[in-house]
Amino acid sequence: MKRRGVRAPRPARLRPLDVLRLGGTGLRTRPLRVFLSALGIAIGVAAMVAVVGISGSGQAEVDRRLDALGTDLLRVAPGRSLAGERVRLPVEAVPMIRRIPPVRQVAATGAVDAHVYRNDRIAVGHTGSLQVLAADRALLPAVGGQVRRGRWLDAATERYPAVVLGATAARRLDVYTPGTRVLVGGRWFAVTGVLDPVPLAPELDGAALVGGPAARTYLRFDGHPSTVYVRTEDRAVAAVRSVLAATANPGRPGEVQVSRPSDALAAREATESALTGLLLGLGGVALLVGGVGVGNTMVISVLERRPEIGLRRALGATRGQIRTQFVTESLLLSLLGGLGGTFLGTLITAGYALARDWPTVVPPWANAAGLAATLLIGAVAGLYPAVRASRLAPTVALAGS
């Protein structure tokens, strides 16, 4: 009989640190099983991370190759008036275009009324179809050009009689050595560099490029740009193109020609869409396979220890404590396998990308999704058998041994 005023003893509460220690006890007492279980989990997560990482690295390589085609490069040039006359861009066109937020680089060239000759013994009419252009210092990076010999225009040489020859111009003038003098607009200019061919701006190959300040001082350049090269963010090419004409010449936007985005931009968007679908599909399949492996491992792990559950119940452990113990163990095991899987998947991706000379790209969401999925699946897979076993009477659970 129960005495009045005497309460039944309450089970001891487990603190969070006690829960972690209790959950880790099962991992420490069965190291081989823990290693094999964690390995199964790690393989599933590594498969997902590697699939996503390799797909992302492949997409980055495609983007890198398409960048070489100038998908983000737009050209602004003067058009013609309603009367059919050639018009000019304002001198302020470049700084005005530079104010557009998505624009990353702006550079311009200006046509100069002059010709370039190898020496003063060449007939005036034998121009070789070469033109003289006043160029910004930012021109070469904007169009992705490279200097074959010598150097590009800088703060010093752009103010003095110095010229950089395009690849075609150097060949027709038979000038390849920096320091050679050529005749530009009746004045001697020193060649400071020779360019490689510029695929994104082939018009520069047949030009002699002079710094803007020097062109104004020695060649009577009026400062009006004839072509403006604009580099924008990939996602904003169409938006920038729609405002370029009004920005370059607010008074007469209809007299401005703006190139349409490169066909390679459409190819980039189609490729990104296809690779994104492939990435999500393969990543989902790999995650599903890994999840099945995690669930199977945790169900077997919990069912194997029913006798232990019966013993702890006989010693006074509550059903809630049994559930907490095995769910915690499931989470710790899943976390261990998930961390190993993300590291292994990243390593596989880096090795594959290095072998193919690709940039290594592992999206952070892939690692986060792998860890979150293993924890979620581990919790679900550990909870159901733990709840079922905790409902068994101690004698029935012990009889399972």
Side-chain angles (χ1 to χ4, degrees):
M1 295 179 62
K2 293 183 179 179
R3 296 180 181 179
R4 292 185 178 182
V6 178
R7 297 181 180 179
R10 294 181 180 180
R13 293 184 178 180
L14 297 178
R15 296 174 299 177
L17 185 59
D18 296 328
V19 173
L20 290 177
R21 288 176 178 174
L22 190 59
T25 300
L27 302 183
R28 292 193 300 270
T29 56
R30 294 173 175 82
L32 180 59
R33 182 180 64 81
V34 169
F35 172 76
L36 294 177
S37 300
L39 181 61
I41 299 172
I43 290 175
V45 176
M48 188 206 75
V49 173
V51 166
V52 174
I54 291 174
S55 300
S57 298
Q59 182 172 328
E61 174 64 15
V62 172
D63 289 345
R64 186 173 69 175
R65 294 189 180 186
L66 288 177
D67 282 340
L69 301 178
T71 58
D72 59 350
L73 179 64
L74 296 171
R75 290 180 178 81
V76 180
R80 293 187 179 276
S81 65
L82 296 177
E85 299 177 351
R86 192 75 176 180
V87 297
R88 297 187 299 177
L89 291 175
V91 177
E92 301 82 7
V94 171
M96 289 191 296
I97 292 174
R98 193 174 285 119
R99 297 174 184 173
I100 303 175
V103 170
R104 295 187 290 109
Q105 291 177 304
V106 183
T109 59
V112 178
D113 187 16
H115 297 288
V116 55
Y117 300 97
R118 176 66 179 83
N119 53 53
D120 55 1
R121 292 185 291 275
I122 305 297
V124 175
H126 295 172
T127 62
S129 301
L130 303 180
Q131 59 179 338
V132 179
L133 297 176
D136 291 343
R137 278 184 287 164
L139 175 65
L140 206 59
V143 298
Q146 298 291 332
V147 178
R148 179 187 301 177
R149 294 182 181 177
R151 62 178 184 173
W152 176 242
L153 299 170
D154 54 30
T157 56
E158 71 173 356
R159 298 180 178 277
Y160 297 99
V163 61
V164 176
L165 301 178
T168 302
R171 185 177 68 253
R172 292 179 182 174
L173 294 174
D174 194 26
V175 174
Y176 300 97
T177 305
T180 305
R181 294 198 310 166
V182 294
L183 200 62
V184 181
R187 297 185 65 96
W188 291 104
F189 277 65
V191 176
T192 61
V194 176
L195 302 181
D196 279 327
V198 185
L200 299 185
E203 62 274 12
L204 301 181
D205 293 344
L209 303 167
V210 179
R216 286 189 287 270
T217 301
Y218 303 105
L219 303 176
R220 298 183 299 278
F221 174 52
D222 58 11
H224 291 273
S226 57
T227 304
V228 181
Y229 301 90
V230 182
R231 286 272 194 176
T232 73
E233 297 178 2
D234 292 335
R235 308 286 182 184
V237 173
V240 171
R241 181 179 185 270
S242 66
V243 300
L244 271 180
T247 304
N249 192 350
R252 299 179 178 180
E255 298 179 353
V256 179
Q257 293 181 347
V258 181
S259 66
R260 67 184 181 87
S262 170
D263 291 335
L265 182 61
R268 174 199 287 270
E269 294 174 351
T271 303
E272 287 182 352
S273 177
L275 284 177
T276 299
L278 177 64
L279 181 150
L280 294 177
L282 292 179
V285 171
L287 182 59
L288 178 61
V289 173
V292 172
V294 172
N296 182 61
T297 299
M298 297 311 304
V299 168
I300 294 176
S301 173
V302 173
L303 292 180
E304 280 181 347
R305 300 174 64 186
R306 290 176 63 186
E308 178 185 338
I309 296 172
L311 179 59
R312 291 203 64 227
R313 290 282 285 123
L315 294 176
T318 65
R319 292 180 178 181
Q321 290 173 347
I322 296 296
R323 290 194 296 268
T324 301
Q325 173 189 351
F326 284 95
V327 169
T328 302
E329 183 175 336
S330 300
L331 291 174
L332 291 175
L333 181 58
S334 298
L335 180 62
L336 182 62
L339 291 174
T342 55
F343 176 77
L344 181 60
T346 303
L347 193 63
I348 293 173
T349 300
Y352 186 86
L354 183 62
R356 300 295 299 272
D357 196 23
W358 290 357
T360 301
V361 177
V362 180
W365 66 262
N367 290 332
L371 288 174
T374 54
L375 291 176
L376 177 62
I377 295 173
V380 173
L383 179 62
Y384 172 72
V387 169
R388 185 174 179 180
S390 67
R391 289 177 178 176
L392 294 175
T395 55
V396 176
L398 288 172
S401 59

